[in-house]
Amino acid sequence: MAVHEHPHRSSGFHLTSFRRNRTAPASESDVSARTGTHTVRAFAFASLRLLTGFVFLWAFLDKAFGLGYATPSGKGWIYGGSPTKGFLGSVAVGPMESTFHSWAGDPWANWLFMLGLLGIGLALIAGVALRIAAVAGTAMMALMWIAEWPPAKHLSDGSASMSTNPFADYHLIYAVALIVVAAAAAGDTLGAGRPWARLPIVRDHCWLR
């Protein structure tokens, strides 16, 4: 009885080992593929974060110093220009048209708008406080979307609005990009997201991530 049992045990042991060795390379390949996919995804989100951050930061610099792009040279905020008067003052359609006109050029509106651009831009470039940046940036983009009011085919004076889409425009794209990079913790790659997350105050208040 004992003599017959030993060959069976030995055969079963070697068969199991053989199968394990055969499946090991496939498992290692799967792990490698998943790691590669994760790396590509991480760099893609990091690239989206950096590019979106540059959009906000450049907008601040151009409006502050008049770099000759959207803001003419010598018309920057530091030279007495208003970063909100031109945009809000030219709103010609939408439910908040008169409200935006009343805000245009007000010191509080200038400061809030510029600090928002600077804070969001720096947060995205550094990869820290992305959740705060996402909330602030989404609110800013929502207001700018309302100011341009894409659903309207005509402006208040009856002229064509030149809107190309009744809903989706670049303000919504930026808002979604902000939410995506925050949800994906995109600051952990090519950014200071990991050391930022280890700070005691950030660990205790996850909304600071």
Side-chain angles (χ1 to χ4, degrees):
M1 180 68 114
V3 173
H4 289 291
E5 287 178 352
H6 285 296
H8 290 295
R9 290 178 181 175
S10 177
S11 176
F13 174 79
H14 287 294
L15 182 60
T16 302
S17 177
F18 175 69
R19 289 175 178 172
R20 185 183 299 115
N21 291 337
R22 288 186 60 185
T23 58
S27 298
E28 292 173 1
S29 176
D30 291 342
V31 171
S32 178
R34 286 195 297 269
T35 301
T37 301
H38 176 76
T39 300
V40 171
R41 185 185 300 116
F43 277 98
F45 283 133
S47 298
L48 178 63
R49 170 179 60 81
L50 290 170
L51 289 173
T52 307
F54 182 73
V55 169
F56 281 86
L57 188 58
W58 179 261
F60 167 81
L61 295 173
D62 184 57
K63 294 180 183 301
F65 302 104
L67 300 180
Y69 286 82
T71 307
S73 180
K75 300 292 185 178
W77 193 28
I78 64 171
Y79 301 113
S82 171
T84 63
K85 187 174 183 178
F87 178 70
L88 293 181
S90 63
V91 172
V93 69
M96 294 183 63
E97 180 180 354
S98 59
T99 301
F100 286 134
H101 288 172
S102 67
W103 291 354
D106 279 358
W108 70 265
N110 291 336
W111 276 97
L112 191 61
F113 180 59
M114 293 297 281
L115 289 176
L117 290 177
L118 178 61
I120 295 168
L122 291 178
L124 290 172
I125 295 295
V128 302
L130 296 182
R131 296 180 181 179
I132 299 175
V135 172
T138 298
M140 180 184 292
M141 292 299 102
L143 287 172
M144 296 180 74
W145 185 88
I146 295 173
E148 295 200 358
W149 199 244
K153 293 182 179 180
H154 298 88
L155 303 179
S156 297
D157 61 3
S159 61
S161 67
M162 306 304 291
S163 175
T164 59
N165 190 292
F167 177 71
D169 74 342
Y170 64 99
H171 295 110
L172 293 185
I173 301 301
Y174 287 146
V176 171
L178 289 167
I179 295 170
V180 167
V181 298
D188 292 354
T189 303
L190 301 179
R194 293 185 188 278
W196 173 262
R198 288 195 293 267
L199 294 176
I201 188 172
V202 179
R203 286 203 306 266
D204 294 338
H205 303 86
C206 64
W207 57 270
L208 292 174
R209 282 290 308 268

Coordinates of all heavy atoms in Angstrom, one line a residue, residues 20-72:
R20 N 3.1 25.2 -12.6 CA 3.4 26.4 -12.0 C 4.5 27.2 -12.8 O 4.4 28.3 -13.0 CB 3.8 26.3 -10.6 CG 4.0 27.6 -9.8 CD 4.4 27.4 -8.4 NE 3.4 26.6 -7.6 CZ 3.7 25.4 -7.1 NH1 4.8 24.8 -7.3 NH2 2.7 24.8 -6.4
N21 N 5.5 26.4 -13.2 CA 6.6 27.0 -13.9 C 6.1 27.5 -15.3 O 6.6 28.4 -15.9 CB 7.7 26.0 -14.1 CG 8.4 25.7 -12.8 OD1 8.3 26.6 -11.9 ND2 9.1 24.6 -12.6
R22 N 5.2 26.7 -15.9 CA 4.7 27.1 -17.2 C 3.9 28.4 -17.2 O 4.0 29.2 -18.1 CB 3.9 26.0 -17.8 CG 4.7 24.8 -18.3 CD 3.8 23.8 -18.9 NE 3.2 24.4 -20.1 CZ 2.2 23.7 -20.9 NH1 1.8 22.5 -20.5 NH2 1.8 24.3 -22.0
T23 N 3.1 28.6 -16.1 CA 2.3 29.8 -16.0 C 3.0 31.0 -15.5 O 2.5 32.1 -15.7 CB 1.1 29.5 -15.1 OG1 1.5 29.1 -13.8 CG2 0.2 28.4 -15.7
A24 N 4.2 30.8 -14.9 CA 4.9 31.9 -14.3 C 5.3 33.0 -15.4 O 5.0 34.2 -15.1 CB 6.1 31.5 -13.6
P25 N 5.8 32.6 -16.5 CA 6.2 33.7 -17.5 C 5.0 34.5 -17.9 O 5.1 35.7 -18.1 CB 6.8 32.9 -18.7 CG 7.2 31.6 -18.0 CD 6.2 31.3 -17.0
A26 N 3.8 33.8 -18.1 CA 2.6 34.6 -18.5 C 2.2 35.6 -17.5 O 1.8 36.7 -17.8 CB 1.5 33.6 -18.8
S27 N 2.3 35.2 -16.2 CA 2.0 36.1 -15.1 C 2.9 37.3 -15.1 O 2.5 38.4 -14.9 CB 2.0 35.3 -13.8 OG 1.0 34.3 -13.8
E28 N 4.2 37.0 -15.3 CA 5.2 38.1 -15.3 C 4.9 39.0 -16.4 O 5.1 40.2 -16.3 CB 6.6 37.5 -15.4 CG 7.0 36.8 -14.1 CD 8.3 36.0 -14.3 OE1 8.9 36.1 -15.4 OE2 8.8 35.4 -13.3
S29 N 4.5 38.5 -17.6 CA 4.2 39.3 -18.7 C 3.0 40.2 -18.5 O 3.0 41.4 -18.8 CB 3.9 38.4 -19.9 OG 3.5 39.2 -21.1
D30 N 2.0 39.6 -17.8 CA 0.8 40.4 -17.5 C 1.1 41.6 -16.5 O 0.7 42.7 -16.7 CB -0.3 39.5 -16.8 CG -0.9 38.5 -17.8 OD1 -0.7 38.8 -19.0 OD2 -1.5 37.5 -17.3
V31 N 2.0 41.3 -15.5 CA 2.4 42.3 -14.6 C 3.2 43.4 -15.3 O 2.9 44.6 -15.1 CB 3.3 41.7 -13.4 CG1 3.9 42.8 -12.6 CG2 2.4 40.8 -12.6
S32 N 4.0 43.0 -16.2 CA 4.8 44.0 -17.0 C 3.9 44.8 -17.8 O 4.1 46.1 -17.9 CB 5.9 43.2 -17.8 OG 6.6 44.2 -18.6
A33 N 2.9 44.2 -18.4 CA 2.0 45.0 -19.3 C 1.2 46.0 -18.5 O 1.0 47.1 -18.9 CB 1.1 44.0 -20.0
R34 N 0.7 45.5 -17.3 CA -0.1 46.4 -16.4 C 0.8 47.5 -15.9 O 0.3 48.7 -15.9 CB -0.7 45.6 -15.3 CG -1.8 44.7 -15.6 CD -2.6 44.3 -14.4 NE -1.7 43.5 -13.5 CZ -1.6 42.1 -13.6 NH1 -2.3 41.5 -14.5 NH2 -0.9 41.5 -12.7
T35 N 2.0 47.3 -15.6 CA 3.0 48.3 -15.1 C 3.2 49.3 -16.2 O 3.2 50.5 -16.0 CB 4.3 47.7 -14.7 OG1 4.0 46.8 -13.6 CG2 5.2 48.8 -14.2
G36 N 3.4 48.8 -17.5 CA 3.6 49.7 -18.6 C 2.4 50.6 -18.9 O 2.5 51.8 -19.1
T37 N 1.2 50.0 -18.8 CA 0.0 50.8 -19.0 C -0.2 51.8 -18.0 O -0.6 52.9 -18.2 CB -1.2 49.8 -19.0 OG1 -1.0 48.8 -20.1 CG2 -2.5 50.6 -19.3
H38 N 0.1 51.4 -16.7 CA 0.0 52.4 -15.6 C 0.9 53.5 -15.8 O 0.6 54.7 -15.5 CB 0.3 51.7 -14.3 CG 0.3 52.6 -13.1 ND1 -0.9 53.1 -12.5 CD2 1.3 53.1 -12.4 CE1 -0.6 53.9 -11.5 NE2 0.7 53.9 -11.4
T39 N 2.2 53.3 -16.2 CA 3.1 54.3 -16.4 C 2.7 55.3 -17.5 O 2.8 56.5 -17.4 CB 4.5 53.7 -16.8 OG1 4.9 52.8 -15.7 CG2 5.5 54.8 -17.0
V40 N 2.2 54.7 -18.6 CA 1.8 55.6 -19.8 C 0.6 56.4 -19.3 O 0.6 57.6 -19.6 CB 1.4 54.7 -21.0 CG1 0.7 55.5 -22.0 CG2 2.6 54.0 -21.5
R41 N -0.3 55.8 -18.6 CA -1.5 56.6 -18.1 C -1.0 57.7 -17.1 O -1.6 58.8 -17.2 CB -2.4 55.6 -17.4 CG -3.7 56.3 -16.9 CD -4.6 55.4 -16.1 NE -5.0 54.2 -16.8 CZ -4.7 53.0 -16.5 NH1 -3.9 52.8 -15.5 NH2 -5.0 52.0 -17.3
A42 N -0.1 57.4 -16.3 CA 0.4 58.4 -15.3 C 1.0 59.6 -16.0 O 0.8 60.7 -15.7 CB 1.4 57.8 -14.3
F43 N 1.8 59.3 -17.0 CA 2.5 60.4 -17.8 C 1.5 61.2 -18.6 O 1.6 62.4 -18.8 CB 3.6 59.9 -18.6 CG 4.9 59.7 -17.9 CD1 5.3 58.4 -17.4 CD2 5.8 60.7 -17.6 CE1 6.5 58.3 -16.7 CE2 6.9 60.6 -16.9 CZ 7.3 59.4 -16.4
A44 N 0.5 60.5 -19.1 CA -0.6 61.2 -19.9 C -1.3 62.2 -19.0 O -1.6 63.3 -19.4 CB -1.5 60.2 -20.5
F45 N -1.7 61.7 -17.8 CA -2.4 62.6 -16.9 C -1.5 63.8 -16.4 O -1.9 64.9 -16.3 CB -2.9 61.9 -15.7 CG -4.1 61.0 -15.9 CD1 -4.2 59.7 -15.5 CD2 -5.2 61.6 -16.6 CE1 -5.4 59.0 -15.7 CE2 -6.4 60.8 -16.9 CZ -6.4 59.5 -16.4
A46 N -0.2 63.5 -16.2 CA 0.7 64.5 -15.8 C 0.9 65.5 -16.9 O 1.0 66.7 -16.6 CB 2.1 63.9 -15.5
S47 N 0.9 65.1 -18.2 CA 1.0 66.0 -19.3 C -0.2 66.9 -19.4 O -0.1 68.1 -19.6 CB 1.2 65.2 -20.6 OG 2.4 64.5 -20.6
L48 N -1.4 66.3 -19.2 CA -2.6 67.1 -19.2 C -2.6 68.1 -18.1 O -3.0 69.3 -18.3 CB -3.8 66.2 -19.0 CG -5.2 66.8 -18.9 CD1 -5.5 67.6 -20.2 CD2 -6.3 65.8 -18.6
R49 N -2.1 67.7 -16.9 CA -2.0 68.7 -15.8 C -1.0 69.8 -16.1 O -1.4 71.0 -15.9 CB -1.5 67.9 -14.5 CG -1.1 68.8 -13.4 CD -0.6 68.0 -12.2 NE 0.5 67.2 -12.4 CZ 1.8 67.7 -12.4 NH1 2.0 68.9 -12.2 NH2 2.8 66.8 -12.7
L50 N 0.1 69.5 -16.6 CA 1.1 70.6 -16.9 C 0.6 71.5 -18.0 O 0.8 72.8 -17.9 CB 2.4 69.9 -17.3 CG 3.2 69.2 -16.1 CD1 4.3 68.4 -16.7 CD2 3.7 70.2 -15.1
L51 N 0.0 71.0 -19.0 CA -0.4 71.9 -20.1 C -1.6 72.7 -19.6 O -1.6 73.9 -20.0 CB -0.9 71.0 -21.3 CG 0.3 70.3 -22.1 CD1 -0.3 69.4 -23.1 CD2 1.1 71.4 -22.7
T52 N -2.5 72.2 -18.9 CA -3.6 73.0 -18.4 C -3.1 74.0 -17.4 O -3.6 75.2 -17.4 CB -4.7 72.1 -17.7 OG1 -5.0 71.0 -18.5 CG2 -5.9 72.9 -17.2
G53 N -2.1 73.7 -16.6 CA -1.5 74.6 -15.6 C -0.9 75.8 -16.4 O -1.0 76.9 -16.0
F54 N -0.2 75.5 -17.5 CA 0.4 76.5 -18.3 C -0.6 77.5 -18.9 O -0.3 78.7 -19.0 CB 1.3 75.9 -19.4 CG 2.0 76.9 -20.2 CD1 3.1 77.6 -19.7 CD2 1.6 77.2 -21.5 CE1 3.8 78.5 -20.4 CE2 2.3 78.2 -22.2 CZ 3.4 78.8 -21.7
V55 N -1.8 77.0 -19.2 CA -2.8 77.8 -19.8 C -3.2 78.9 -18.7 O -3.3 80.1 -19.0 CB -4.1 77.0 -20.2 CG1 -5.3 77.9 -20.5 CG2 -3.7 76.1 -21.4
F56 N -3.4 78.4 -17.5 CA -3.9 79.3 -16.4 C -2.7 80.3 -16.0 O -2.9 81.5 -15.9 CB -4.3 78.6 -15.2 CG -5.7 78.0 -15.3 CD1 -6.0 76.8 -15.9 CD2 -6.8 78.7 -14.8 CE1 -7.3 76.3 -16.1 CE2 -8.1 78.3 -15.0 CZ -8.3 77.0 -15.6
L57 N -1.5 79.7 -15.9 CA -0.4 80.6 -15.5 C 0.0 81.6 -16.5 O 0.2 82.8 -16.2 CB 0.8 79.7 -15.1 CG 2.0 80.4 -14.5 CD1 1.6 81.0 -13.2 CD2 3.1 79.4 -14.2
W58 N -0.1 81.2 -17.8 CA 0.2 82.1 -18.9 C -0.8 83.3 -18.9 O -0.5 84.4 -19.2 CB 0.3 81.4 -20.2 CG 0.6 82.4 -21.3 CD1 -0.2 83.0 -22.2 CD2 1.9 83.0 -21.6 NE1 0.4 83.9 -23.0 CE2 1.7 83.9 -22.7 CE3 3.2 82.8 -21.1 CZ2 2.8 84.6 -23.2 CZ3 4.2 83.6 -21.6 CH2 4.0 84.4 -22.7
A59 N -2.1 82.9 -18.7 CA -3.1 83.9 -18.7 C -2.9 84.9 -17.6 O -3.1 86.2 -17.9 CB -4.5 83.2 -18.5
F60 N -2.4 84.5 -16.5 CA -2.1 85.4 -15.4 C -1.0 86.3 -15.8 O -1.0 87.6 -15.6 CB -1.7 84.7 -14.1 CG -1.1 85.5 -13.1 CD1 -1.9 86.3 -12.2 CD2 0.3 85.6 -12.9 CE1 -1.3 87.2 -11.3 CE2 0.9 86.4 -12.0 CZ 0.1 87.2 -11.2
L61 N 0.1 85.7 -16.3 CA 1.3 86.5 -16.7 C 1.0 87.5 -17.8 O 1.4 88.7 -17.7 CB 2.4 85.6 -17.1 CG 3.0 84.7 -16.0 CD1 4.0 83.7 -16.7 CD2 3.7 85.4 -14.9
D62 N 0.2 87.1 -18.8 CA -0.1 88.0 -19.9 C -0.9 89.2 -19.4 O -0.7 90.3 -19.8 CB -0.8 87.2 -21.0 CG -1.1 88.1 -22.2 OD1 -0.1 88.6 -22.8 OD2 -2.2 88.2 -22.6
K63 N -1.9 88.9 -18.6 CA -2.8 90.0 -18.1 C -2.1 90.8 -17.1 O -2.4 92.0 -17.0 CB -4.1 89.3 -17.5 CG -5.0 88.6 -18.5 CD -6.2 88.1 -17.9 CE -7.0 87.3 -18.9 NZ -7.5 88.1 -20.0
A64 N -1.2 90.3 -16.3 CA -0.5 91.1 -15.3 C 0.6 92.0 -15.9 O 0.7 93.1 -15.5 CB 0.2 90.1 -14.3
F65 N 1.3 91.5 -16.9 CA 2.4 92.3 -17.4 C 2.3 92.8 -18.9 O 3.1 93.4 -19.4 CB 3.7 91.4 -17.3 CG 4.0 91.0 -15.9 CD1 3.8 89.6 -15.5 CD2 4.5 91.8 -15.0 CE1 4.0 89.2 -14.2 CE2 4.8 91.4 -13.7 CZ 4.5 90.1 -13.3
G66 N 1.1 92.4 -19.5 CA 0.9 92.9 -20.9 C 2.0 92.3 -21.8 O 2.8 93.1 -22.4
L67 N 2.0 91.0 -22.0 CA 3.1 90.4 -22.8 C 2.8 90.5 -24.3 O 3.5 89.9 -25.1 CB 3.2 89.0 -22.4 CG 3.6 88.8 -20.9 CD1 3.8 87.3 -20.5 CD2 4.9 89.5 -20.6
G68 N 1.7 91.1 -24.7 CA 1.5 91.3 -26.1 C 0.7 90.2 -26.8 O 0.6 90.2 -28.0
Y69 N 0.1 89.3 -26.0 CA -0.8 88.3 -26.6 C -2.2 88.7 -26.5 O -2.7 89.5 -27.3 CB -0.5 86.9 -26.0 CG 0.8 86.4 -26.5 CD1 2.0 86.8 -25.9 CD2 0.9 85.4 -27.5 CE1 3.3 86.3 -26.4 CE2 2.1 84.9 -28.0 CZ 3.3 85.3 -27.4 OH 4.5 84.8 -27.8
A70 N -2.9 88.2 -25.5 CA -4.3 88.7 -25.3 C -4.3 90.1 -24.7 O -5.3 90.8 -24.9 CB -5.0 87.7 -24.3
T71 N -3.3 90.5 -24.0 CA -3.2 91.8 -23.4 C -2.1 92.6 -24.1 O -0.9 92.2 -24.1 CB -2.9 91.7 -21.9 OG1 -3.9 90.9 -21.3 CG2 -2.9 93.1 -21.3
P72 N -2.4 93.7 -24.7 CA -1.4 94.5 -25.4 C -0.3 95.0 -24.5 O -0.5 95.1 -23.3 CB -2.2 95.7 -26.0 CG -3.6 95.3 -26.0 CD -3.7 94.3 -24.8

